Amino acid sequence: MSKSLGIGIAGAGFIGKVQANALREIDGAEVVAIADPREDAGQALATATGARWYPSYTEMLEHPELDVVVLTTPSGLHAEQAVLAAQAGKHIITEKPMSTTPHGIQLMTEAAERANVELAVIFQNRFSRDVIKVKRGIEAGMLGRPVMGSAAVHWHRTAEYYEANDGWRGTWTLDGGGALMNQSVHTIDLLQWLMGGVSAVSANAATLIHEIETEDTATASVVFRSGALGTIAGTTSASTDAPVRVEIVGTGGRAMLERGVLVAWEGDSPLTDDILLPFDHDYIQGWEPGEPFGAAHKRQLAVILDALRSGDTPPVPPREARKAVDIVLAVYESAQTGKHVAID
């Protein structure tokens, strides 16, 4: 078996547990440390993983067997924590969004480059068989010329959700935004990835239901780099959670994904596994419709760790991961100024 990598997880909340459970099922990955200032949560996850609990993140970075740090902390902490990890010579895997500001993205990217360590961002929804098949189908021209793309995240979040864990969600400082930056960023990433990037947005955002600093509802009209048009709609004010939806319309057909599963395909030929590239199979091994949350994390983490062992660049590096953040920040700027905002 390949060299085992010692992994430390910063944050023992819900997503920290998801990451820990996924890592426990990956050969060559050993969770050796958990950092969380809350003793009950930190010690519980450390006990479950056979790791050592640290009340301090900087103390965890001194663990002698630590190779990789996984950041599952509030988004506003990612940049500072990534810089510290890089300075300690540790590879970094961070949950989305990688940072909530362009300055934070720059700091953590430059720190990783200076230290010659890798920085990878979790966008596990890319690691779906149907998502990748649609991507390859678009690239092959099976939908003709894409002319429109839309993303919709219509979810329900309670007041208790925003109040939990010291109330960091829905704040500008630690969440970096609301329904878009936290809940919709995965789907925004899929839309821009499938359509080839966004060049401009015009948007509206509002806080309609919740007592939070940031938006709980936002819509945007987008211009893709190809010249195609599209829409983004995200809310946490719906009465229930609807399936996350991405739809691509082309001159030769259309594709619709719900929860990462292809529910409609109208192309010039059937969309089969033959469209997949050889390395795609590493990304989708074991995928099945309706899989439990965390299964896709396991797939992406396994590919990232394999890349770290072999000296390759892991999937979704900073230059790719920042695209979704840039779109969300452009939406916020447009909603505040009422102007059409271009994205570099």
Side-chain angles (χ1 to χ4, degrees), residues 206-329:
T207 310
L208 300 178
I209 301 297
H210 300 96
E211 294 184 3
I212 57 176
E213 296 176 2
T214 62
E215 88 293 350
D216 61 15
T217 305
T219 60
S221 173
V222 305
V223 180
F224 295 100
R225 298 197 179 278
S226 66
L229 304 180
T231 60
I232 294 169
T235 185
T236 56
S237 299
S239 59
T240 59
D241 286 356
V244 172
R245 186 175 68 254
V246 173
E247 184 172 12
I248 310 298
V249 178
T251 56
R254 73 183 184 103
M256 182 181 290
L257 293 152
E258 289 188 353
R259 294 194 179 103
V261 177
L262 187 64
V263 296
W265 173 260
E266 299 170 7
D268 60 8
S269 60
L271 190 64
T272 67
D273 286 358
D274 294 339
I275 196 72
L276 295 170
L277 301 176
F279 66 84
D280 289 337
H281 294 277
D282 294 333
Y283 288 14
I284 60 176
Q285 186 175 10
W287 177 84
E288 58 184 29
E291 66 185 6
F293 186 74
H297 288 79
K298 176 185 173 183
R299 284 195 298 277
Q300 185 176 2
L301 287 166
V303 175
I304 291 172
L305 296 180
D306 282 345
L308 295 181
R309 292 190 194 92
S310 62
D312 296 331
T313 300
V316 201
R319 64 180 179 276
E320 183 65 20
R322 73 169 297 155
K323 293 177 182 178
V325 177
D326 288 341
I327 294 166
V328 173
L329 293 178

Side-chain angles (χ1 to χ4, degrees), residues 124-144:
Q124 79 279 358
N125 291 353
R126 291 191 183 198
F127 291 69
S128 152
R129 180 186 296 271
D130 283 359
V131 166
I132 295 179
K133 283 166 64 176
V134 170
K135 173 70 171 175
R136 302 303 174 218
I138 293 170
E139 292 173 340
M142 295 173 69
L143 296 181

Side-chain angles (χ1 to χ4, degrees), residues 23-40:
L23 287 162
R24 290 167 67 183
E25 297 181 6
I26 299 174
D27 289 339
E30 182 181 1
V31 178
V32 298
I34 304 292
D36 195 301
R38 302 166 299 168
E39 182 174 1
D40 289 350

Side-chain angles (χ1 to χ4, degrees), residues 186 195 220 227 324:
H186 278 297
M195 291 292 291

